[in-house]
């Protein structure tokens, strides 16, 4: 046996370790409180493209089709009703920009009992100023799952691919789905699973959950960085940061062991978003007062 063989065998492991440490980021945590009764069941967050430093938010089921513009550290909000939309169970949202135009995707996608034959996602355009924001409904995507209804609480968008991604919750393993922003109008979109996610809390310790049930590792929120370099997933127990390598598929990205953010315990972590510059992650919890955790990157 060559005396260099042991070194060659350990080299891939060493390189993987160095790569992991090189891409792992360090985060400084700041807690904010928003004591505004209209937003007492925070379930979705997305960074605003039109209003830097602000985030759009919405409640869980039971609210009207209303979005709230908030800024971490400020105990106030602006509400905007989305005319032409309905809100059976809004669970997540995402944002993206094209040139000077800024858009939101709002997911009426929750289905705890897996009984909804169709779910909806609304495409909105942002406008106005932070003091008087406006939203214009551009289109409604009606979605049908191949194989029957699914409970979904994760929604993200890849504007470069022009693809919208959804992450299911109450399955033995969460499943990732996607559809095109350019899907034909006035036609239901059929969603087929791209594959299962088996990385929560790590690829080594992931276990199946009871079908229809939830665990501390069930996804409650999803977001992609605006430049496509990373993804985040929130769960009831922890939140996770995934690094993307080049043009790696999102299914592959979400099946790598993530970096746990080390979030302090929250009443019910239901929403997560990445800032437009990619250096801040905002995590939100249901309940009043509304708790917001900001993870600010201290390394690049």
């Amino acid at each position: 046996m060559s005396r260099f063989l042991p070194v060659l065998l350990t080299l891939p492991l060493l390189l993987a370790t160095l790569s992991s440490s090189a891409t792992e980021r360090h985060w400084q945590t700041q807690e904010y409180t928003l004591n505004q009764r209209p937003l007492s069941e925070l379930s979705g967050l997305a960074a605003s493209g039109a209003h830097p430093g602000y985030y759009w938010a919405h409640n869980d089921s039971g609210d009207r089709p209303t979005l709230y513009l908030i800024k971490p550290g400020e105990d106030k909000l602006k509400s905007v009703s989305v005319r032409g939309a309905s809100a059976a169970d809004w669970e997540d949202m995402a944002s993206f920009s094209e040139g000077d135009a800024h858009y939101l995707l709002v997911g009426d996608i929750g289905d705890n009992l897996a009984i909804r034959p169709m779910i909806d996602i609304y495409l909105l355009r942002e406008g106005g100023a932070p003091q008087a924001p406006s939203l214009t409904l551009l289109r409604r995507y009606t979605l049908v799952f191949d194989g029957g209804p699914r409970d979904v609480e994760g929604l993200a968008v890849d504007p470069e691919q022009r693809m919208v991604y959804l992450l299911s919750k109450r399955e033995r393993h969460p499943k990732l789905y996607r559809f095109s922003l350019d899907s034909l109008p006035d036609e239901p979109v059929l969603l087929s699973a791209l594959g299962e996610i088996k990385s929560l809390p790590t690829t080594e310790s992931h276990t199946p959950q009871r079908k229809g049930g939830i665990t501390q590792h069930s996804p409650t929120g999803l977001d992609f960085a605006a430049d496509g370099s990373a993804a985040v997933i929130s769960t009831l127990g922890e939140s996770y940061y995934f690094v993307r390598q080049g043009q790696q598929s999102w299914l592959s990205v979400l099946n790598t062991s993530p970096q746990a953010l080390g979030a302090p315990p929250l009443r019910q972590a239901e929403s997560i978003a990445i800032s437009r510059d990619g250096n801040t992650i905002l995590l939100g919890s249901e309940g009043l007062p509304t708790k917001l955790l900001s993870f600010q990157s201290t390394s690049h």
Side-chain angles (χ1 to χ4, degrees), residues 109 111 113-119 143-152 168 170-171 175 177 189-193 211:
I109 53 180
D111 190 6
L113 300 178
I115 58 174
R116 298 178 66 180
M118 294 176 288
I119 57 174
L143 312 174
V144 179
F145 286 100
D146 184 14
R150 298 286 189 276
D151 184 33
V152 175
S168 67
R170 297 174 188 266
E171 301 195 65
K175 291 181 180 178
Y177 301 82
V189 179
L190 181 64
L191 297 177
S192 297
K211 186 176 181 180

Side-chain angles (χ1 to χ4, degrees), residues 206-237:
H206 177 82
T207 57
Q209 60 189 22
R210 179 177 56 83
K211 186 176 181 180
I214 59 174
T215 70
Q216 288 295 101
H217 309 307
S218 300
T220 60
L222 172 70
D223 199 19
F224 297 159
D227 63 0
S229 63
V232 289
I233 292 177
S234 61
T235 72
L236 295 175

Side-chain angles (χ1 to χ4, degrees), residues 105-107 109 120-123 139-141 143 155 166 179:
L105 289 159
V106 181
I109 53 180
D120 297 306
I121 292 178
Y122 298 97
L123 175 64
R139 71 170 294 182
R140 171 181 184 165
Y141 300 92
L143 312 174
L155 171 66
L166 297 95
F179 70 93

Side-chain angles (χ1 to χ4, degrees), residues 213-279:
I214 59 174
T215 70
Q216 288 295 101
H217 309 307
S218 300
T220 60
L222 172 70
D223 199 19
F224 297 159
D227 63 0
S229 63
V232 289
I233 292 177
S234 61
T235 72
L236 295 175
E238 177 58 282
S239 294
Y240 302 95
Y241 182 79
F242 298 78
V243 176
R244 188 185 190 196
Q245 305 294 338
Q247 294 299 308
Q248 186 181 16
S249 74
W250 288 112
L251 179 63
S252 177
V253 172
L254 298 179
N255 271 303
T256 59
S257 282
Q259 177 187 357
L261 294 179
L266 292 173
R267 175 180 172 182
Q268 190 168 337
E270 288 275 346
S271 51
I272 195 166
I274 305 177
S275 64
R276 299 309 294 265
D277 64 9
N279 291 325

Side-chain angles (χ1 to χ4, degrees), residues 190-212:
L190 181 64
L191 297 177
S192 297
L194 297 174
E196 297 177 325
I197 304 302
K198 299 180 179 180
S199 60
L200 303 173
T202 67
T203 54
E204 294 78 18
S205 59
H206 177 82
T207 57
Q209 60 189 22
R210 179 177 56 83
K211 186 176 181 180

Side-chain angles (χ1 to χ4, degrees), residues 172-192:
R172 287 180 58 77
H173 305 283
K175 291 181 180 178
L176 189 66
Y177 301 82
R178 74 176 181 184
F179 70 93
S180 173
L181 283 168
D182 302 312
S183 297
L184 292 174
D186 305 320
E187 294 290 337
V189 179
L190 181 64
L191 297 177
S192 297

